[in-house]
Amino acid sequence: MTTENWLMIFSGILIVSFIFNQIQQKVKISSVILLILLGTITQLILKHLDINVILPDQALKVFGTLGLLIIVLEAVMDMKITPQNAKVLKKAFLFATLLVFANVALISWGFVRTYGLELKNALIYAVPLSIVSSAIAIPSLQSVASELSEFLVLESIFSDIIGVLLFNFLTLTELGKFSSIGAFFLNMAAMIVISFVTTVLLGVLLGKGKSKNIHVAILAILILMYSLAKMFHLSSLLLILIFGLFLRNCSSIVRTKYGRWLNPYLNSQEITNNLQNMHEFIDEFGFIIRSIFFILLGFSIDIDLLLQPQVLLLGIMVMFTIYALRWIFLYWMIDHDNLTMPVTMAPRGLITVLLFFQIPKEFQFPFFHGGVTFFIVLATCFVMSFGLIISQRKKPEDIG
C-alpha cells in the first residue's frame, strides 16, 4: 500500500475511535468492543476481497505493552491519597488481591481436574484469565460518577499489578526452592529502589519549571526504564505505580517525617502544575495507542478458532468461575442492593492477551491457543456493556 493509504488508515482509526467514545457516553456500549468488532469485520472484508494483509508478530505486543503502561500511568496519576479515600483504597486492594488469588486457585484446579495439567502449568494459564483489564474498565467507567466507580477503577489497577507480579513469580521461580523464591523477592526489592531513585530524579526534572517537550522526554525515560527492567525480569510495572503515586502525592510526602529530606530537591508546587499538563499529554497519547491496539486485536482474532466446541466449553467454564467468585466477594465486601454493574465489570483484555503471549514455551499446551483468550476477552466485554446499559438509569450505590 502507498504512504497515502497508510495515512488514511491511521487517521480513519482515530476518527472512528473518537466517534465510538461519543457512542459509549450516550448508550454505555464500550468503545473497546466497537473497536475490536471493527478490526474483526475489517479482517473478514479483506479476506472476502482476497486481500492478504500480514501484521508483524510484534505489533500487537508493542502496542499492548505501551497501552498497559499508559493506562496504569494515567490511572495512578489520578490517585490522590487522602484520609477521605484511604478506606476505598484499602478495600479495593484487599478485594483485588483476594479475587485474583481465588480465581487463579479455582480456574487452575479446574484445568488440573479436566485436562490433567501439572499444577504450575495450570497456575500460569489461570493468571492471565484472572486479571481485570484496567485498559478496558477505566475508559468504560469514565461516565459513571460515584464512589463505586472509583472503587472499581482502583480494583482494576491493583488487579493488573498483582496479576503481573504473580505471573512473573510463577514463570521465574521454581516452586518449593527457597533460593529461587528468595531471588524473586530480592529482585522485587531492587526494582522498588530503582523505581524510587528514578522517580526522585524525574521529580527534580519536573520541578525545574516549564520546559519544551519535557513531558515527552519523561515518558520516553519511563518507557526506557520499563523496557530495561523487563529485560532483566524485574517487576517493571512497579516503576509506573511508584512514579505516578509518588509525584501525585508529592506535596503530602515532603511534609511527612520521612519525606522532609526531599523538600530541598523537589518543588512540589511546580511538580503538581507540570504533572497536570503531563496528564493531559498522557491522556491524548493513550487514546492513540488504545485505538490502534484494540483494532489490531480485533484484526488478529481467528474466527474459526472461536467457534470450536472445545474453546466454547473452556471459555464458558472460566466465565462461570469469574462471575460466581466476583458475586460472592462483592456481596461480602460492599453494599449488595445493586450488584449488576460491579459484578459485570470484570472485562478481560489487554493484560490477558499480553501475558498469554508471554507464557514460556516449556509451559505451553496445544489446546490452550488464542481462541480461548479471544473468546473470554470478547465475552467479558459484552457482559460488561450489558451491565452498564441495564444499570445506567439506576442510582449509583455507595460501597459503604
Side-chain angles (χ1 to χ4, degrees):
M1 288 195 295
T2 65
T3 302
E4 290 75 17
N5 292 143
W6 283 113
L7 289 174
M8 289 171 65
I9 291 172
F10 177 71
S11 58
I13 288 174
L14 298 185
I15 292 169
V16 170
S17 183
F18 174 78
I19 294 172
F20 286 169
N21 278 348
Q22 304 309 304
I23 293 174
Q24 175 177 297
Q25 293 177 13
K26 298 293 183 182
V27 296
K28 307 300 181 185
I29 297 177
S30 173
S31 61
V32 169
I33 287 183
L34 298 177
L35 288 169
I36 293 175
L37 288 177
L38 177 61
T40 305
I41 292 170
T42 302
Q43 174 201 157
L44 295 175
I45 292 173
L46 291 176
K47 278 185 179 180
H48 180 73
L49 297 174
D50 290 327
I51 299 175
N52 189 25
V53 177
I54 301 175
L55 293 175
D57 292 337
Q58 292 297 321
L60 198 62
K61 295 180 183 179
V62 170
F63 281 102
T65 301
L66 279 174
L68 173 65
L69 190 153
I70 294 298
I71 285 287
V72 174
L73 179 58
E74 189 178 352
V76 296
M77 286 172 67
D78 272 334
M79 203 181 291
K80 181 72 173 176
I81 301 175
T82 64
Q84 290 73 31
N85 70 359
K87 181 181 177 183
V88 178
L89 278 166
K90 292 176 183 176
K91 186 171 285 190
F93 177 77
L94 177 62
F95 178 77
T97 304
L98 292 175
L99 198 56
V100 167
F101 278 90
N103 271 292
V104 169
L106 200 54
I107 292 173
S108 62
W109 177 81
F111 290 164
V112 170
R113 298 283 295 180
T114 307
Y115 299 103
L117 269 69
E118 293 183 9
L119 178 59
K120 184 172 181 178
N121 300 52
L123 289 169
I124 290 172
Y125 271 99
V127 172
L129 303 175
S130 303
I131 304 172
V132 175
S133 172
S134 60
I136 297 177
I138 292 173
S140 301
L141 287 164
Q142 284 178 348
S143 57
V144 182
S146 69
E147 190 179 350
L148 178 57
S149 67
E150 181 186 6
F151 171 81
L152 293 172
V153 166
L154 292 171
E155 180 229 340
S156 69
I157 297 170
F158 289 134
S159 182
D160 277 358
I161 295 167
I162 294 164
V164 171
L165 289 176
L166 181 58
F167 183 83
N168 289 341
F169 175 77
L170 290 170
T171 55
L172 298 176
T173 62
E174 295 183 44
L175 300 181
K177 284 193 175 182
F178 180 78
S179 58
S180 179
I181 295 173
F184 173 82
F185 284 104
L186 187 62
N187 287 342
M188 190 171 166
M191 189 64 219
I192 292 174
V193 174
I194 293 169
S195 300
F196 178 74
V197 173
T198 303
T199 296
V200 171
L201 292 176
L202 292 179
V204 172
L205 185 61
L206 270 175
K208 293 296 184 181
K210 291 185 178 180
S211 177
K212 192 174 182 180
N213 301 326
I214 187 174
H215 304 129
V216 178
I218 288 176
L219 180 59
I221 293 170
L222 285 174
I223 294 173
L224 175 63
M225 294 298 295
Y226 179 92
S227 303
L228 287 172
K230 287 288 288 183
M231 286 177 61
F232 289 97
H233 305 294
L234 298 174
S235 303
S236 50
L237 206 59
L238 284 174
L239 169 64
I240 309 303
L241 178 67
I242 291 173
F243 172 82
L245 276 178
F246 185 91
L247 294 185
R248 180 67 179 91
N249 297 276
C250 180
S251 57
S252 302
I253 292 173
V254 296
R255 291 198 298 266
T256 63
K257 177 181 177 182
Y258 298 104
R260 288 174 187 167
W261 66 276
L262 292 169
N263 206 24
Y265 309 102
L266 299 177
N267 185 339
S268 57
Q269 185 59 49
E270 198 64 46
I271 288 174
T272 301
N273 295 336
N274 269 324
L275 211 59
Q276 180 59 38
N277 296 330
M278 184 174 178
H279 194 289
E280 295 173 3
F281 164 70
I282 293 293
D283 182 56
E284 300 294 339
F285 182 66
F287 169 77
I288 297 173
I289 298 298
R290 286 194 302 270
S291 300
I292 296 174
F293 171 78
F294 287 114
I295 289 281
L296 291 178
L297 179 60
F299 191 85
S300 63
I301 290 176
D302 190 331
I303 302 298
D304 295 331
L305 288 179
L306 286 179
L307 301 178
Q308 290 181 0
Q310 188 180 49
V311 170
L312 296 174
L313 180 63
L314 184 57
I316 291 170
M317 180 185 77
V318 171
M319 287 187 63
F320 176 81
T321 303
I322 289 170
Y323 293 112
L325 286 175
R326 191 168 181 84
W327 184 88
I328 291 169
F329 279 96
L330 283 167
Y331 190 89
W332 169 47
M333 294 189 68
I334 73 170
D335 187 349
H336 46 262
D337 290 338
N338 179 22
L339 291 179
T340 303
M341 195 270 281
V343 168
T344 56
M345 187 54 63
R348 271 49 179 171
L350 189 153
I351 190 66
T352 298
V353 175
L354 283 180
L355 292 185
F356 182 82
F357 286 139
Q358 291 177 19
I359 294 176
K361 287 184 178 180
E362 61 267 28
F363 299 118
Q364 291 179 6
F365 280 83
F367 60 83
F368 277 95
H369 48 65
V372 177
T373 306
F374 291 139
F375 173 84
I376 293 172
V377 168
L378 287 173
T380 53
C381 286
F382 274 113
V383 171
M384 178 195 70
S385 289
F386 173 76
L388 287 170
I389 291 170
I390 65 175
S391 64
Q392 64 179 325
R393 293 185 179 181
K394 296 180 181 180
K395 183 178 179 181
E397 299 293 332
D398 189 86
I399 69 169

